[in-house]
Amino acid sequence: MTAAPLPRLSPGWRAWLIWTVAVAAYVLAIVNRSSLSAVGVDTAERFHADAATLSLFAVVQLAVYGGMQIPIGILLDKYGSRPVMVIGMLLMSVGQFVMAVSPSIGVAIIARVLLGAGDAAIFPAVIRLVATWFPAQRAPIMVQMTGIAGQCGQLVALLPLAALLHSTTWTITFGSVAGLGVLFAVLLWAIVRNRPAHRDEDVSVNTETGVVRVVTSAIDTGVGIRAAWAHPGTRLAFWTHFTTPFAGTAFLLLWGMPYLTEGEGLSKAAAAGLLSLNVIVAMVLGPILGELSRRIPTRRSLALVLPSIGVQVIAWIAIAVWPGPAPVWLLAVLVVCLGAGGPASMIAFDHARTHNPVHRLSTATGVTNSGGFLAALTAIFLIGLTLDLQGAGTPATYALGPFRWAFITQLPLWILGITMIVIERKHTRIRMGLDPERKRR
C-alpha cells in the first residue's frame, strides 16, 4: 500500500502580503544603498571632498555591509526576520537623517556606517521569509523575483531622488528618505511575521516531497570556513564573485554619474538614462543567465562567466583609447556590458551550492559573497585615489583624461580574477573527476 501524495499547497494571501511588504522594504534599502549614485558631484561639493574621500563614503558603507553578514545571520537564527528587518530599517533611517543634517565629512561617514549596518539586515531577512512562508520548491524563482524587484530601488535612486535634490534641498531630500524608513519600520512590525502560526520554528517545507528543513542563516566560523575554502569549488565561487560585478558596482554606486557628466559632458538626465539602462539590462539578463547556468553546470565559467568579464574589459579599453569624448552609442555599449556583471556574479552562488554540503552552505555562501565586496571596495578606492594623484579629485577639476586613467586601474583586478578562475576551475574539474589529475614531474 503506497502513501497518498502530499497535496500541492499554494501560499495564501498572507504569505504574498508579507513578501510584498518585505520586498518593498528591500527596494527602499537599495535606494538607501545607492543614494549617492546620482548625486556624487553634489556630495563632493557639499562636503568639499576630494575623490579619495568621496570613495571613502562607499568603501565604508560596503565594508560595514560585508562585515555585518555573520552577525546578521546569527541574529536571524535567534530572533527571526521581523525584528531584524525593523531594526535594520530604523538604522538606515537614522543614517539618512544624520546624512541630511551632517555638518562635516566625519559625521557623514558615521551616517554611511549606519546605512551599511541597516542595509545588511534586509536581504537575508527577506530570503528567510521566502523560505518559511513559501514551499521550498518555489524558493529559486521567489529569490530571483526578489532580486529583480530590488533593482527598482536603483532606478529610484537615479531618477526621483536626484530630481528631488535638485528641486529642493539636501536636508529635505535625505530627510524624506529617513521618514520613509520609519514608515516602513512600522509596516514591517505590523504586517510581517517570522513564520506561519502553526509552526514552532522557522522551517522550509517541500509540499511535494514532505521534506522539512530548519532554516539557518548563520555562517559557521573556524572549522567551517576552513573546510569550505579547502574545496576548489568554493574558491572558484569566490573568484567568480570577485571578478564579475565590481566594475558595475563602482560605476553605478559612485563613479558613473561624475564620469558621464563631468568627464564625457553629458547632461544629468542623459547620464541618469544610461545608468538606468545598466539596471534594466541586469534585470533582463538575470533570469536568462540563471537558466543557462542551470542547463550547463560544467561549462558555466567558460560559457558565461569569462565572456561576461571579457566584454567589460573590452568595453573599458575601447573607451580608454577612443580619441576625445566617447559617442553615446559607445557609452551605451559600456553600460550594457557592465550590466552583465551582476547577473553573472550570481553564478558564483551556483558554484557554492553545487560543491558544498547543506550543513556548510551558509559558510560557503558567506565566503563567496565576500569576494565581490572586496573587489568593489578596492576598485572604488583605487579610482578615487588615482583621480587625486592626477590633480583631478574635485568637481572643479574633474576631466575626461584623468577619469579614463582612473578606470584603467580596474585592469589588475580583472587579470587577477581571470587567472584565479582558470586555475580553480581546473582544480574543481579534477576534484569532480571531469579532468585527469596532473602528473607530477
Side-chain angles (χ1 to χ4, degrees), residues 16 19 130 135-148 287:
W16 286 108
W19 179 78
V130 167
Q137 62 269 29
R138 288 200 182 192
I141 186 64
M142 293 301 299
V143 170
Q144 279 209 11
M145 288 171 61
T146 300
I148 291 172

Side-chain angles (χ1 to χ4, degrees), residues 2 4 38 50 63 71 110 113 115 126 130 134 160 193 207 225 250 279 290 316 349 359 365 383 427:
T2 58
D50 58 21
I110 293 173
V113 169
L115 279 174
V126 178
V130 167
F134 290 84
R193 295 294 181 269
T207 56
I225 292 176
V279 177
W316 266 125
F349 298 105
H359 70 272
T365 299
I383 292 167
H427 290 164

Side-chain angles (χ1 to χ4, degrees), residues 55-69 112-113 116-117 120 253 373-374 376-377 380:
S55 294
L56 196 59
F57 285 123
V59 168
V60 166
Q61 181 181 337
L62 289 178
V64 172
Y65 182 101
M68 285 296 294
Q69 292 303 300
R112 304 313 286 184
V113 169
L253 196 62
F373 285 110
L374 178 61
L377 295 176
I380 289 171

Side-chain angles (χ1 to χ4, degrees), residues 77-207:
D77 285 339
K78 187 170 183 179
Y79 300 108
S81 294
R82 182 192 185 204
V84 171
M85 290 188 77
V86 170
I87 292 172
M89 198 58 65
L90 290 175
L91 281 174
M92 284 189 286
S93 295
V94 174
Q96 291 291 33
F97 178 76
V98 172
M99 197 73 181
V101 300
S102 174
S104 65
I105 289 175
V107 176
I109 287 176
I110 293 173
R112 304 313 286 184
V113 169
L114 294 171
L115 279 174
D119 184 17
I122 305 302
F123 184 71
V126 178
I127 298 307
R128 190 182 184 95
L129 289 173
V130 167
T132 55
W133 279 94
F134 290 84
Q137 62 269 29
R138 288 200 182 192
I141 186 64
M142 293 301 299
V143 170
Q144 279 209 11
M145 288 171 61
T146 300
I148 291 172
Q151 296 300 316
C152 297
Q154 293 184 334
L155 296 178
V156 174
L158 287 170
L159 300 172
L161 191 68
L164 179 62
L165 174 62
H166 297 140
S167 62
T168 58
T169 66
W170 178 277
T171 301
I172 290 175
T173 300
F174 286 90
S176 299
V177 178
L180 274 177
V182 174
L183 172 62
F184 268 90
V186 174
L187 280 175
L188 289 168
W189 186 258
I191 295 173
V192 171
R193 295 294 181 269
N194 290 341
R195 67 187 78 90
H198 61 275
R199 294 179 190 159
D200 296 327
E201 58 183 340
D202 289 1
V203 296
S204 175
V205 181
N206 189 315
T207 56

Side-chain angles (χ1 to χ4, degrees), residues 357-371:
V358 174
H359 70 272
R360 207 169 62 211
L361 184 56
S362 290
T363 304
T365 299
V367 170
T368 300
N369 207 23
S370 67

Side-chain angles (χ1 to χ4, degrees), residues 26-27 49 78 118 139 147 163 179 189-190 192 194 202 210 238-239 245 252 300 307 332 352 389 400 410 417 436 441:
Y26 177 50
V27 170
K78 187 170 183 179
W189 186 258
V192 171
N194 290 341
D202 289 1
F238 173 89
W239 288 110
L252 196 61
R300 292 166 177 159
L389 291 175
L400 180 58
Q410 298 171 112
R441 293 182 179 178

